[in-house]
Amino acid sequence: MDSCRGARTAVIVGAGVAGLTAATALARGGWQVEIAEVGPPEATSGWGLCLTGPALRGLDELGLADACLAAGHGMSTITHADVHGEPAGEVRLPRLIGARRPAMVGIARPVLHRILHAEAERCGVVVRHGVTVAAVDQERDLVRVGLSDGTVRQVALLVAADGIRSSARGLLGLETSLEFHGQMVWRALVPRPRWATGIHQFAGKADAAGLVPLSDRQAYVFLTENGVERSALPDAELAPRLRQLLEPFPGRVEEIRSLVSGSESVVRRPVLTALLEGAWNRGNAVVIGDAAHAPAPQMASGAALAVEDGLVLARELGRHATVGAGLQAFAGRRAQRCRTLVETSVAIAGLEQAQRHREAYPLVESCHRLMAEPA
């Protein structure tokens, strides 16, 4: 694609959930697609994630939901409990891909990446690693894309799907701030306890902890540390510090804490959000996924928005005579839905910090029901 000029050619920046989903959907619609991914092959961030109902619905449209269900751990409930493990509420999530299939799935990020990557390549998408976008110029109905290896593409469409810290977004002149919400989220990969068949969350006196199954054998522990400044810790201090933060939780969390002792996979990340105000596109270039709308993790639906973005983008481009009209229609369909999820996730984070967990539970449920509506 060094000098392609066709009416249906695209460069996508970023081989994450949004980028790979968009690439597959576009390729199935007859587009010639190339992905520029700055990271090496098989590089993924974090240990696991949830594919909630909207994500599964979108992946089912691509024929990939069953592969994700087989590789992950299907679930349909979120169980809320107090610090002692006493039940405080249960959310039964809508089953959007049929009553006989789960409402959501916990899955390891590398596994999901392999499924999405394999399907994109099967559809003819070219994925180039170790390269990213360095310059962007609009040329009438084409976008001139300069890549970091010195090569140039002239394409009908550029998609910036390179995450919350997107460099492509800045090259398009679409700036947004990253908001820190006074929380650090910890995750550790552990063996799955037999009782963990859905998401479990425990509200502590200072922090919140929980467990998300990823497969029959694995799960990840999470802890949301409240009222802290954004900071970094040496890797050697992560596991001991997480065990210390889990000490105030008795009962089942004590079992989780013992599992952390054997984990060599502990990460700690700030809770950041981003929401692109105004236009999502400049000419024939558009921003999608976390680059446009990154929610806090409390709703576990960032991947759902990313999958939906890729599908809706391809759908709208297929319905309109010009790329520009398709991008305008795409943003018009997505902006309010994505804003609602981001703002709800921020509200839940605030309630957690104020120790008003019981007020957050119905907000979680109502937002999941809203997200169950068609994208």
Side-chain angles (χ1 to χ4, degrees), residues 297-330:
Q298 277 78 353
M299 280 299 302
S301 293
L305 291 185
V307 169
E308 288 182 348
D309 275 0
L311 293 171
V312 174
L313 176 63
R315 198 173 298 145
E316 290 301 326
L317 287 169
R319 290 178 53 205
H320 289 82
T322 67
V323 171
L327 297 185
Q328 291 288 341
F330 162 74

Side-chain angles (χ1 to χ4, degrees), residues 44-320:
T44 55
S45 175
W47 308 126
L49 78 166
C50 285
L51 297 173
T52 54
L56 284 180
R57 176 172 56 197
L59 292 170
D60 201 38
E61 185 177 326
L62 296 176
L64 301 178
D66 285 329
C68 293
L69 289 170
H73 187 90
M75 305 173 286
S76 296
T77 60
I78 302 173
T79 301
H80 297 291
D82 65 17
V83 67
H84 300 288
E86 293 297 320
E90 183 178 83
V91 177
R92 292 189 173 273
L93 299 175
R95 295 175 183 251
L96 302 186
I97 58 171
R100 295 188 177 182
R101 290 195 281 181
M104 61 181 170
V105 61
I107 190 168
R109 282 185 181 271
V111 173
L112 175 62
H113 183 269
R114 284 195 292 271
I115 292 171
L116 295 177
H117 193 282
E119 182 62 18
E121 290 198 324
R122 191 189 71 81
C123 292
V125 175
V126 175
V127 184
R128 298 186 60 220
H129 291 274
V131 64
T132 188
V133 62
V136 178
D137 293 299
Q138 302 281 343
E139 297 182 346
R140 296 184 182 179
D141 293 333
L142 293 176
V143 185
R144 182 181 174 86
V145 183
L147 298 180
S148 56
D149 63 356
T151 60
V152 174
R153 308 291 188 268
Q154 287 181 298
V155 292
L157 173 68
L158 173 66
V159 181
D162 50 340
I164 189 172
R165 295 178 177 85
S166 170
S167 60
R169 180 181 61 213
L171 291 173
L172 297 176
L174 298 172
E175 299 292 349
T176 188
S177 61
L178 305 187
E179 302 295 332
F180 173 60
H181 297 282
Q183 295 178 315
M184 299 292 291
V185 172
W186 298 70
R187 291 185 177 89
L189 194 63
V190 298
R192 182 181 70 85
R194 289 188 177 182
W195 52 264
T197 57
I199 295 177
H200 290 259
Q201 182 167 334
F202 304 87
K205 295 180 180 179
D207 305 320
L211 194 71
V212 178
L214 298 178
S215 68
D216 289 343
R217 295 184 177 183
Q218 287 187 320
Y220 74 80
V221 176
F222 67 87
L223 181 133
T224 306
E225 187 181 7
N226 287 314
V228 291
E229 294 184 358
R230 188 175 174 182
S231 62
L233 292 175
D235 289 348
E237 296 181 16
L238 292 176
R241 177 59 179 157
L242 178 54
R243 290 195 297 271
Q244 183 181 18
L245 290 169
L246 290 170
E247 282 182 357
F249 296 85
R252 281 182 164 172
V253 181
E254 180 61 29
E255 179 184 348
I256 296 173
R257 181 172 175 269
S258 67
L259 297 175
V260 172
S261 300
S263 177
E264 297 179 355
S265 304
V266 180
V267 295
R268 177 178 181 261
R269 299 285 187 268
V271 173
L272 300 173
T273 62
L275 185 63
L276 193 58
E277 301 287 352
W280 288 16
N281 73 295
R282 286 285 186 269
N284 284 18
V286 68
V287 179
I288 70 171
D290 278 358
H293 45 71
Q298 277 78 353
M299 280 299 302
S301 293
L305 291 185
V307 169
E308 288 182 348
D309 275 0
L311 293 171
V312 174
L313 176 63
R315 198 173 298 145
E316 290 301 326
L317 287 169
R319 290 178 53 205
H320 289 82

Side-chain angles (χ1 to χ4, degrees), residues 28-54:
R28 290 187 180 190
W31 287 75
Q32 187 178 357
V33 184
E34 181 179 19
I35 296 179
E37 167 54 49
V38 70
E42 303 297 325
T44 55
S45 175
W47 308 126
L49 78 166
C50 285
L51 297 173
T52 54

